[in-house]
Amino acid sequence: MNYPNGIKKDNINKNITYKNRGMNLENDLNITNNYYIENNIAFIYKKPTPIQVVKASYNESGNRVIKEAYYKEPSTTDYNGIYKGYYIDFEAKETKNKQGFPLNNIHPHQIKHLRNILSQQGICFLIIRFTSLNETYLIKADDFIFFIDNKKKSIMGLDYIKEKGYIIKEKLLKRLDYLEIVDKIWRLL
Amino acid sequence: MNYPNGIKKDNINKNITYKNRGMNLENDLNITNNYYIENNIAFIYKKPTPIQVVKASYNESGNRVIKEAYYKEPSTTDYNGIYKGYYIDFEAKETKNKQGFPLNNIHPHQIKHLRNILSQQGICFLIIRFTSLNETYLIKADDFIFFIDNKKKSIMGLDYIKEKGYIIKEKLLKRLDYLEIVDKIWRLL
């Protein structure tokens, strides 16, 4: 097979892989959280996706094998943990939308959870990536909740997110160093 | 079929069900945590068990069905959340052993996690139920870690747990009201 400009197939594949990796918010947050963990900065983990097991059995090695299971709707946010002694809780979402963040991306259970965590003075926020703009924002949960309670809209506009939120710049090791922004907002320095 | 003392079969079954339910630590903690959540006391959840999905497909309704998956070893403790603004983190284990708590019940990853949370001043402990004694104890993570680091034993003896730990009495609504003990130990009143 021939490729334009004499580019070898290997190089094309490498580029594609790297680009996809950079585009995936969950993967970026994994890299970031692992950096935090390995350097004893914070211990924040993504919760496993809850599943409903319907059928399971044991295989020849005596290990349990799940044969039929379904994904369940999570009742909390995906990420939580501890940083400088503080409770940290957030949800991370990607959207292809260029106008803003469609609110149906967050389940009612999760909105209730954000309210609960705020009522306990937890450090609580959303990380939203606009994949088509290649921009990632952190917005405090109280600004998000304020929008839901006061604006009767199905999309949280990019203008509101730019006004209230903070852009997270990509770095090499701490891929998405969101705790730098947490330090500033909550004055944890 | 005849039962002694004129007891009907239905009643026997009810008793067995109730007894089994009372014996299950995870279920008791679910009831307790739900009570805390519904009364806005604390927001503490059990993390879903992590699984490795090998095969998945879509069914006729367009839902994703997991066709082959395996349980993975958890890298953190099972429970975490927030209480009075503090980060709470614990592991809950049952043992049939009457002499003490066999240390191989806790994975090395989980011990590392307990050390990490302690380094961040998180409120961190174990809840251990001795099913054959029908007793449940809370022991602080630092007393557990001290035992691991200083005693060269494979079982944490019941005498040590009774000396350092706190018995959790069963209640009706707040089935296992462990936060009452957390209040006392960490002086959160």
Short mmCIF file of all heavy atoms in Angstrom, two decimals, chain A residues 40 43, chain B residues 114-122:
data_model
loop_
_atom_site.label_atom_id
_atom_site.label_comp_id
_atom_site.label_asym_id
_atom_site.label_seq_id
_atom_site.Cartn_x
_atom_site.Cartn_y
_atom_site.Cartn_z
N ASN A 40 3.22 11.17 46.02
CA ASN A 40 2.57 11.44 47.32
C ASN A 40 1.93 12.82 47.40
O ASN A 40 1.93 13.44 48.47
CB ASN A 40 3.59 11.28 48.46
CG ASN A 40 4.10 9.86 48.57
OD1 ASN A 40 3.31 8.92 48.52
ND2 ASN A 40 5.40 9.70 48.69
N PHE A 43 -4.22 11.36 46.68
CA PHE A 43 -4.65 9.98 46.42
C PHE A 43 -6.09 10.02 45.94
O PHE A 43 -7.03 9.97 46.72
CB PHE A 43 -4.44 9.13 47.67
CG PHE A 43 -3.00 9.11 48.07
CD1 PHE A 43 -2.53 9.95 49.08
CD2 PHE A 43 -2.08 8.35 47.35
CE1 PHE A 43 -1.18 9.99 49.40
CE2 PHE A 43 -0.73 8.39 47.66
CZ PHE A 43 -0.28 9.21 48.69
N LEU B 114 -3.65 2.44 52.81
CA LEU B 114 -3.89 2.91 54.18
C LEU B 114 -2.75 3.84 54.63
O LEU B 114 -3.00 4.90 55.21
CB LEU B 114 -3.99 1.72 55.15
CG LEU B 114 -5.19 0.78 54.98
CD1 LEU B 114 -5.07 -0.42 55.92
CD2 LEU B 114 -6.51 1.51 55.23
N ARG B 115 -1.50 3.44 54.32
CA ARG B 115 -0.35 4.30 54.66
C ARG B 115 -0.48 5.66 53.96
O ARG B 115 -0.20 6.71 54.55
CB ARG B 115 0.96 3.64 54.21
CG ARG B 115 1.37 2.43 55.00
CD ARG B 115 2.76 1.94 54.52
NE ARG B 115 2.99 0.56 54.87
CZ ARG B 115 3.49 0.15 56.05
NH1 ARG B 115 3.79 1.03 56.97
NH2 ARG B 115 3.67 -1.13 56.28
N ASN B 116 -0.85 5.63 52.69
CA ASN B 116 -0.99 6.87 51.92
C ASN B 116 -2.03 7.79 52.55
O ASN B 116 -1.81 8.99 52.68
CB ASN B 116 -1.39 6.56 50.47
CG ASN B 116 -0.26 5.92 49.68
OD1 ASN B 116 0.90 6.01 50.07
ND2 ASN B 116 -0.60 5.27 48.58
N ILE B 117 -3.17 7.23 52.91
CA ILE B 117 -4.25 8.06 53.47
C ILE B 117 -3.83 8.62 54.83
O ILE B 117 -4.10 9.79 55.13
CB ILE B 117 -5.56 7.24 53.57
CG1 ILE B 117 -6.00 6.73 52.19
CG2 ILE B 117 -6.68 8.07 54.21
CD1 ILE B 117 -6.10 7.77 51.11
N LEU B 118 -3.13 7.81 55.62
CA LEU B 118 -2.62 8.31 56.90
C LEU B 118 -1.66 9.48 56.69
O LEU B 118 -1.67 10.44 57.46
CB LEU B 118 -1.91 7.19 57.67
CG LEU B 118 -2.81 6.13 58.33
CD1 LEU B 118 -1.95 5.06 58.99
CD2 LEU B 118 -3.75 6.76 59.34
N SER B 119 -0.82 9.39 55.65
CA SER B 119 0.16 10.46 55.37
C SER B 119 -0.53 11.78 55.03
O SER B 119 0.07 12.84 55.09
CB SER B 119 1.10 10.05 54.24
OG SER B 119 0.44 10.18 52.97
N GLN B 120 -1.82 11.70 54.64
CA GLN B 120 -2.58 12.90 54.29
C GLN B 120 -3.54 13.29 55.42
O GLN B 120 -4.44 14.11 55.21
CB GLN B 120 -3.40 12.64 53.01
CG GLN B 120 -2.57 12.49 51.75
CD GLN B 120 -2.55 13.75 50.91
OE1 GLN B 120 -3.38 14.64 51.07
NE2 GLN B 120 -1.60 13.83 50.00
N GLN B 121 -3.36 12.67 56.58
CA GLN B 121 -4.23 12.94 57.74
C GLN B 121 -5.70 12.60 57.49
O GLN B 121 -6.60 13.23 58.06
CB GLN B 121 -4.12 14.40 58.20
CG GLN B 121 -2.97 14.65 59.16
CD GLN B 121 -1.66 14.90 58.43
OE1 GLN B 121 -1.63 15.67 57.48
NE2 GLN B 121 -0.60 14.25 58.85
N GLY B 122 -5.96 11.61 56.63
CA GLY B 122 -7.33 11.15 56.45
C GLY B 122 -7.78 10.31 57.65
O GLY B 122 -6.95 9.74 58.35
#
